[in-house]
């Protein structure tokens, strides 16, 4: 196996979009609908380890119908963004944390770990090559999607695949939820479960999402925007909101559910915990039930609730509904701390605020 750092073979696209076509996309990018001109691809085999590292034109994959990922969902991903700062620099936010989580997920999925420097290098190379796709509009970003799939063409299920493909694609992104920082109305999922102890809740695998769409659809059918996941045993303890972590605010105290293995350890969640301490807030990681959530809103003790993740940053939660009725969080409007933390985090990412934790990784 090769142990030397991988070097990427660079093959530039001969059909890259023109500046006009690109500007047309960047004027209204949406989220995850348009992709840049290039992608990263690295192969792994049991015999040769990681090899065949390439930057190449963005395009379809050709895979045998028996390929393992299609049948057993041996697949996972990461998500992070490149930001264009006011001085023209292009940066990412905590890519080393994504690299570390990538490998935590890889171990859970019985897939090979990727050296952290190769992960970070792959992002740098793709963003440098497709730098003109990093939006200049405030609040817009280039969303980066590293992922790994099992590529062995065989239907046997007694062992994991002996071949994998690591890929990175990039997509210019407007705001994730249309309509800015509008509070969301959430639906408590009392019938469906996202993750159970010993399962894959902490791993960023596609299978977690495949099982979640039906609950998200139920939320929408009940007039809500997003599903809130509860614990697998009693459906009492709050875990996450859709693909985002969740925070509760009691005056100047912040409460968030602990990382017990069923929650995805969000990098935004971790950053907010650290920023909150910097801002002099008290932070507690402890379980919270839906009964406590309702009672604390009724008594006025809970002043705000919000969800957080890379894609939408911080989103206020305005109202909660479930089978047994619903309640409003405070006055249903975005809370003061919610907006303050959002401004602080976005300010670090766009370089308008100091970066005391060294979270910014400069690419260009
Ligand atoms: C990715 C993800 C998050 C948020 O993680 P960030 O690192 O903050 O983007 C939260 N929950 C789930 C289920 C996720 O997949």
């Amino acid at each position: 196996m090769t142990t030397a750092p991988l070097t990427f073979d660079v093959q530039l696209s001969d059909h890259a979009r023109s500046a006009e076509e690109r500007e047309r996309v960047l004027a209204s990018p949406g989220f995850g609908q348009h992709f840049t001109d290039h992608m990263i691809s690295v192969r792994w085999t049991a015999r040769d380890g990681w090899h065949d590292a390439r930057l190449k034109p963005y395009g379809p994959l050709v895979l045998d119908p028996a390929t393992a990922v299609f049948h057993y969902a041996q697949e996972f991903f990461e998500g992070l963004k490149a930001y264009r700062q006011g001085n023209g620099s292009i940066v990412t936010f905590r890519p080393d944390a994504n690299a570390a989580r990538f490998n935590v997920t890889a171990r859970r999925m019985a897939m090979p770990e990727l050296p952290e420097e190769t992960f970070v290098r792959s992002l740098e190379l793709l963003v440098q090559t497709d730098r003109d796709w990093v939006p200049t509009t405030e609040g817009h970003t280039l969303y980066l999607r590293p992922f790994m799939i099992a590529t062995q063409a065989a239907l046997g299920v007694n062992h994991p695949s002996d071949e994998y493909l690591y890929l990175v694609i990039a997509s210019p992104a407007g705001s994730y939820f249309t309509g800015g920082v509008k509070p969301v109305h959430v639906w408590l999922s009392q019938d469906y479960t996202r993750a159970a102890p010993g399962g894959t809740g902490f791993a960023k695998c596609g299978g977690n999402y495949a099982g979640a769409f039906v609950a998200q659809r139920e939320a929408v059918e009940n007039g809500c925007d997003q599903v809130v996941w509860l614990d697998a045993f009693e459906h009492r303890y709050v875990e996450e909101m859709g693909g985002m972590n969740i925070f509760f605010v009691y005056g100047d105290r912040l409460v968030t559910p602990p990382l017990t293995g069923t929650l995805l350890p969000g990098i935004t969640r971790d950053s907010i915990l650290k920023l909150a301490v910097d801002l002099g807030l008290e932070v507690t990681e402890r379980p919270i039930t839906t009964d406590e959530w309702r009672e604390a809103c009724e008594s006025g003790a809970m002043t705000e609730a919000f969800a957080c993740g890379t894609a939408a940053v911080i989103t206020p939660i305005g109202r909660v509904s479930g089978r047994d009725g619903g309640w409003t969080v405070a006055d249903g409007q975005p809370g003061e701390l919610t907006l303050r933390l959002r401004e602080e985090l976005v300010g670090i990412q766009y370089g308008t605020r100091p970066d005391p934790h060294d979270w910014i990784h400069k690419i260009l």
Side-chain angles (χ1 to χ4, degrees), residues 137-250:
T137 307
E138 198 185 314
H140 290 198
T141 57
L142 185 66
Y143 183 78
L144 306 173
R145 169 54 60 87
F147 61 110
M148 201 201 302
I149 59 175
T151 49
Q152 186 177 10
L155 297 183
V157 287
N158 290 327
H159 59 81
S161 172
D162 61 12
E163 276 185 37
Y164 297 92
L165 195 57
Y166 166 72
L167 298 152
V168 189
I169 56 176
S171 172
S175 30
Y176 186 73
F177 292 121
T178 47
V181 262
K182 212 175 79 204
V184 291
H185 179 182
V186 298
W187 174 254
L188 303 174
S189 182
Q190 285 156 308
D191 294 320
Y192 300 110
T193 299
R194 190 187 87 94
T200 56
F202 67 90
K204 212 166 171 70
C205 59
N208 288 343
Y209 280 78
F213 290 122
V214 67
Q216 175 60 28
R217 190 163 65 192
E218 182 185 81
V220 170
E221 282 164 3
N222 283 280
C224 295
D225 305 298
Q226 286 287 319
V227 60
V228 161
W229 297 108
L230 307 173
D231 73 284
F233 292 118
E234 301 178 80
H235 286 125
R236 283 179 63 213
Y237 294 97
V238 181
E239 299 212 320
E240 296 200 57
M241 183 193 93
M244 300 173 81
N245 294 115
I246 203 161
F247 276 86
F248 304 96
V249 184
Y250 294 74

Side-chain angles (χ1 to χ4, degrees), residues 21-305:
E21 285 171 296
R22 193 174 57 238
E23 290 313 319
R24 206 158 41 235
V25 169
L26 291 180
S28 167
F31 190 91
Q33 294 161 34
H34 301 279
F35 299 91
T36 65
D37 293 314
H38 297 90
M39 65 186 202
I40 295 285
S41 150
V42 189
R43 271 159 42 81
W44 186 93
T45 56
R47 206 190 60 150
D48 296 325
W50 289 110
H51 64 285
D52 199 15
R54 294 171 188 280
L55 173 109
K56 59 187 192 185
Y58 184 93
L61 306 174
V62 177
L63 293 168
D64 190 289
T67 300
V69 63
F70 297 141
H71 303 275
Y72 308 122
Q74 206 191 353
E75 181 277 351
F76 70 92
F77 62 94
E78 269 302 327
L80 70 166
K81 289 170 166 177
Y83 307 82
R84 193 182 289 273
Q85 298 192 332
N87 60 4
S89 297
I90 297 174
V91 306
T92 52
F93 183 74
R94 306 186 70 184
D96 49 326
N98 292 92
R101 187 172 66 190
F102 187 88
N103 285 335
V104 168
T105 303
R107 285 195 288 277
R108 178 62 183 83
M109 304 303 287
M111 291 165 78
E113 292 178 42
L114 183 70
E116 288 191 15
E117 66 268 19
T118 303
F119 179 93
V120 174
R121 178 70 197 125
S122 70
L123 305 178
E124 290 170 347
L125 182 60
L126 182 57
V127 172
Q128 283 161 359
T129 308
D130 285 337
R131 60 185 168 270
D132 292 341
W133 287 92
V134 183
T136 50
T137 307
E138 198 185 314
H140 290 198
T141 57
L142 185 66
Y143 183 78
L144 306 173
R145 169 54 60 87
F147 61 110
M148 201 201 302
I149 59 175
T151 49
Q152 186 177 10
L155 297 183
V157 287
N158 290 327
H159 59 81
S161 172
D162 61 12
E163 276 185 37
Y164 297 92
L165 195 57
Y166 166 72
L167 298 152
V168 189
I169 56 176
S171 172
S175 30
Y176 186 73
F177 292 121
T178 47
V181 262
K182 212 175 79 204
V184 291
H185 179 182
V186 298
W187 174 254
L188 303 174
S189 182
Q190 285 156 308
D191 294 320
Y192 300 110
T193 299
R194 190 187 87 94
T200 56
F202 67 90
K204 212 166 171 70
C205 59
N208 288 343
Y209 280 78
F213 290 122
V214 67
Q216 175 60 28
R217 190 163 65 192
E218 182 185 81
V220 170
E221 282 164 3
N222 283 280
C224 295
D225 305 298
Q226 286 287 319
V227 60
V228 161
W229 297 108
L230 307 173
D231 73 284
F233 292 118
E234 301 178 80
H235 286 125
R236 283 179 63 213
Y237 294 97
V238 181
E239 299 212 320
E240 296 200 57
M241 183 193 93
M244 300 173 81
N245 294 115
I246 203 161
F247 276 86
F248 304 96
V249 184
Y250 294 74
D252 58 4
R253 282 190 304 124
L254 232 56
V255 175
T256 195
L259 300 178
T260 53
T262 52
L263 275 71
L264 200 289
I267 293 160
T268 317
R269 173 189 182 279
D270 184 72
S271 306
I272 288 169
L273 286 173
K274 295 187 165 95
L275 283 179
V277 171
D278 295 350
L279 294 176
L281 306 169
E282 194 187 305
V283 297
T284 316
E285 293 173 74
R286 66 162 173 86
I288 162 164
T289 62
T290 54
D291 285 343
E292 177 183 341
W293 192 355
R294 191 187 62 243
E295 284 158 19
C297 286
E298 283 165 2
S299 75
M302 186 182 295
T303 45
E304 308 175 30

